[in-house]
């Protein structure tokens, strides 16, 4: 085995999954994470498909079901809170053979982190500022920690990847905006609950959704069309709060009550809805993973699953090649890229379902949910939307460290 020392940037979904499998195969991963501690909470995601398969192989499913939520229905309502459409939660579960769950993104990340905690070094509150590759490895320089050498570097640091920017080029060369923005935050003691229902209100060009969480919290998710407004500076919380208020100024339903929670929210997330299209996922000893390589967009719903599947494939191919990174990187991309590109294409068409731009398209979206209520038609349509066609290889023969 060669090239065992691997630096991973990002403690989201893909980073700790990659570390888990690399340890299994005898590598020595280290993770660098800009946040001071593991993140919790975040927005709700539906988790299924290739990511679910990987989580099963990590024996995570019981933990994820305990941390997750059972969504009984997606309830579409009008300004008077009257139901105008509905998708039953059992429709997702039946189409996927019950291999489906809903969970906060941060809670999924934390469950994976717990599997590597104590066994993989994590440099919290730091980030890579430069990388220098030579024939023997890569020197990484950090903002706070002293420089260190590694054999390989993996950028698993999200849509706005620092590793991608350093090694491959500026964000604008890879990010493809889809014409929408999203935001989320949580609030305590919000008086409207609707336990078990993902309740969604839409006006032309914007959507508000909420779902009840444990401990008396409610999570809110927002989506709206990009009207060409200047983008708030990333991590400028005051500018992000102002942007969310402006986007939903004058909105109906429960917006006046929801707006009161913006200033006190300490978990506000706001970003553009974008895909990442990278001509290559590796360059020399450096490779990209998850959203950094192939973000399908937040609205596609499978970013976490792609990150886990990609991490499993990348680690497995590195083990299979004996650490010969050029062969492993090429095979990882050969297996995964066609699958991802097909999913990305579908995600572009799916985005408008969240925030239809006209009253007519909104009416048609709501009406279409009635087709899903017809048993055979609903199952056929749902299977077409959520079905995956990527057989996940088995790399068990290469495991050296048993959990």
């Amino acid at each position: 085995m060669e090239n065992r020392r691997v630096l991973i940037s990002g403690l989201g979904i893909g980073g700790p999954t990659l570390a888990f499998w690399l340890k299994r195969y005898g590598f020595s991963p280290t993770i660098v994470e800009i946040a001071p501690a593991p993140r919790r909470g975040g927005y709700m995601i539906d988790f299924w498909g290739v990511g679910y398969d990987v989580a099963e192989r990590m024996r995570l499913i019981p933990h994820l079901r305990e941390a997750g939520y059972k969504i009984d229905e997606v309830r579409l309502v009008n300004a008077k809170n009257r139901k105008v459409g509905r998708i039953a939660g059992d429709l997702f579960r039946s189409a996927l053979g019950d291999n489906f769950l809903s969970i906060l993104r941060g809670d999924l990340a934390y469950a994976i982190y717990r599997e590597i905690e104590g066994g993989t070094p994590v440099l919290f509150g730091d980030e890579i500022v430069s990388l220098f590759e030579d024939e023997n490895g890569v020197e990484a320089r950090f903002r706070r920690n002293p420089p260190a050498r590694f054999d390989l570097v993996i950028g698993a640091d999200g849509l706005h990847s620092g590793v991608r920017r350093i090694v491959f080029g500026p964000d604008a060369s890879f990010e493809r905006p889809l014409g929408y923005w999203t935001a989320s935050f949580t609030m305590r003691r919000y008086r409207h609950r609707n336990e078990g229902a993902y309740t969604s209100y839409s006006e032309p060009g914007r959507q508000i959704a909420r779902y009840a969480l444990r401990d008396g919290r409610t999570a809110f998710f927002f989506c709206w069309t990009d009207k060409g407004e200047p983008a708030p500076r990333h991590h400028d919380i005051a500018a992000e709060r102002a942007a969310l208020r402006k986007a939903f100024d004058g909105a109906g339903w429960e917006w006046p009550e929801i707006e009161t929670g913006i200033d006190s929210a300490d978990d506000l997330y706001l970003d553009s809805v974008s895909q990442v299209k990278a001509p290559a996922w590796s360059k020399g000893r450096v490779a990209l993973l998850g959203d950094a390589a192939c973000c399908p967009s937040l609205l596609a719903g499978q970013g976490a699953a792609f990150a886990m599947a990609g991490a499993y494939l990348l680690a497995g191919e590195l083990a299979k090649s004996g650490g010969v990174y050029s062969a492993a990187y090429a095979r990882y991309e050969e297996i995964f890229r066609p699958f991802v590109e097909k999913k990305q294409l579908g995600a572009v068409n799916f985005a408008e379902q969240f925030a239809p731009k006209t009253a007519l398209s909104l009416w048609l979206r709501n009406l279409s949910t009635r087709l899903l209520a017809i048993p055979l038609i609903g199952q056929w349509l749902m299977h077409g939307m959520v079905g995956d066609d990527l057989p996940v290889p088995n790399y068990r023969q290469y495991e050296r460290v048993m959990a």
Side-chain angles (χ1 to χ4, degrees):
M1 180 74 72
E2 58 185 81
N3 298 314
R4 291 188 179 189
R5 298 169 301 165
V6 183
L7 175 63
I8 304 167
S9 177
L11 191 69
I13 305 294
T17 303
L18 179 64
F20 175 93
W21 289 108
L22 286 177
K23 288 280 288 186
R24 283 287 186 102
Y25 304 138
F27 292 84
S28 298
T30 297
I31 298 177
V32 57
E33 167 57 41
I34 193 169
R39 294 185 174 98
R40 301 294 300 271
Y43 49 86
M44 190 75 77
I45 62 172
D46 293 325
F47 186 62
W48 78 91
V50 290
Y52 192 101
D53 294 341
V54 173
E56 278 193 313
R57 296 184 187 193
M58 297 171 70
R59 301 176 184 175
L60 277 174
I61 298 301
H63 303 293
L64 300 185
R65 290 203 181 280
E66 184 178 352
Y69 293 83
K70 186 174 184 292
I71 304 299
D72 297 317
E73 66 171 340
V74 176
R75 182 183 302 174
L76 309 179
V77 299
N78 62 18
K80 295 181 179 180
N81 215 33
R82 293 175 181 166
K83 189 182 297 185
V84 294
R86 178 182 185 269
I87 303 173
D90 286 342
L91 190 59
F92 292 94
R93 288 183 279 272
S94 64
L96 293 161
D98 205 35
N99 291 343
F100 172 92
L101 57 90
S102 298
I103 189 170
L104 296 176
R105 187 183 186 281
D107 289 351
L108 171 60
Y110 187 71
I112 302 169
Y113 167 71
R114 290 293 300 272
E115 296 297 311
I116 65 166
E117 186 178 16
T120 296
V122 181
L123 309 178
F124 283 109
D126 207 350
E127 62 181 321
I128 300 169
V129 295
S130 60
L131 294 166
F132 299 94
E133 181 176 340
D134 57 39
E135 61 183 12
N136 298 313
V138 183
E139 180 182 279
R141 295 183 181 177
F142 304 97
R143 191 165 300 282
R144 294 183 175 84
N145 282 279
R149 287 191 63 83
F150 298 89
D151 298 313
L152 306 173
V153 176
I154 310 297
D157 43 353
L159 174 64
H160 307 292
S161 169
V163 170
R164 191 184 64 221
R165 195 178 309 118
I166 291 168
V167 176
F168 295 79
D171 290 354
S173 299
F174 306 98
E175 291 184 25
R176 302 292 184 268
L178 298 186
Y180 296 87
W181 284 79
T182 60
S184 68
F185 69 86
T186 60
M187 187 192 307
R188 291 192 178 276
R189 296 182 294 277
Y190 187 70
R191 69 189 183 98
H192 307 286
R193 293 286 291 175
N194 300 119
E195 303 279 351
Y198 183 98
T199 306
S200 173
Y201 166 74
S202 295
E203 298 174 352
R206 53 190 183 183
Q207 179 213 62
I208 306 170
R210 58 169 167 80
Y211 35 94
L213 304 178
R214 301 181 185 94
D215 304 322
R217 294 178 300 143
T218 298
F220 300 93
F221 178 81
F222 309 86
C223 178
W224 66 98
T225 54
D226 187 344
K227 297 181 180 179
E229 301 283 348
R233 191 172 60 183
H234 205 44
H235 298 308
D236 183 339
I237 187 66
E240 291 175 346
R241 285 170 174 158
L244 179 56
R245 278 198 168 95
K246 185 171 183 179
F248 286 87
D249 182 44
W253 192 48
E254 299 170 6
W255 169 248
E257 294 178 79
I258 295 170
E259 185 183 9
T260 64
I262 294 177
D263 288 337
S264 60
D266 59 4
D267 58 354
L268 177 64
Y269 165 87
L270 186 145
D271 208 345
S272 63
V273 177
S274 300
Q275 292 187 336
V276 169
K277 299 287 187 72
W281 295 352
S282 64
K283 186 175 182 180
R285 293 174 177 267
V286 180
L288 301 175
L289 172 66
D291 283 355
C294 54
C295 178
S297 90
L298 184 149
L299 298 183
Q302 282 193 283
F306 287 1
M308 292 189 74
Y312 174 79
L313 288 168
L314 178 55
E317 290 302 321
L318 281 167
K320 184 178 179 180
S321 70
V324 180
Y325 63 88
S326 56
Y329 290 172
R331 183 62 179 154
Y332 151 66
E333 190 168 342
E334 179 185 348
I335 296 172
F336 205 40
R337 181 184 280 275
F339 172 80
V340 167
E341 289 182 344
K342 180 180 177 181
K343 292 290 186 177
Q344 284 183 319
L345 183 61
V348 172
N349 300 325
F350 187 65
E352 191 173 347
Q353 299 301 310
F354 282 83
K357 296 178 181 179
T358 67
L360 177 60
S361 57
L362 177 57
W363 179 80
L364 290 172
R365 190 278 308 268
N366 294 343
L367 183 65
S368 69
T369 65
R370 297 179 186 177
L371 289 175
L372 296 175
I374 302 171
L376 293 178
I377 295 177
Q379 291 177 8
W380 177 73
L381 290 173
M382 187 59 64
H383 185 76
M385 287 190 288
V386 301
D388 283 342
D389 54 1
L390 178 72
V392 179
N394 194 323
Y395 300 104
R396 188 174 180 81
Q397 62 183 302
Y398 304 109
E399 291 185 12
R400 300 186 180 191
V401 180
M402 300 304 295

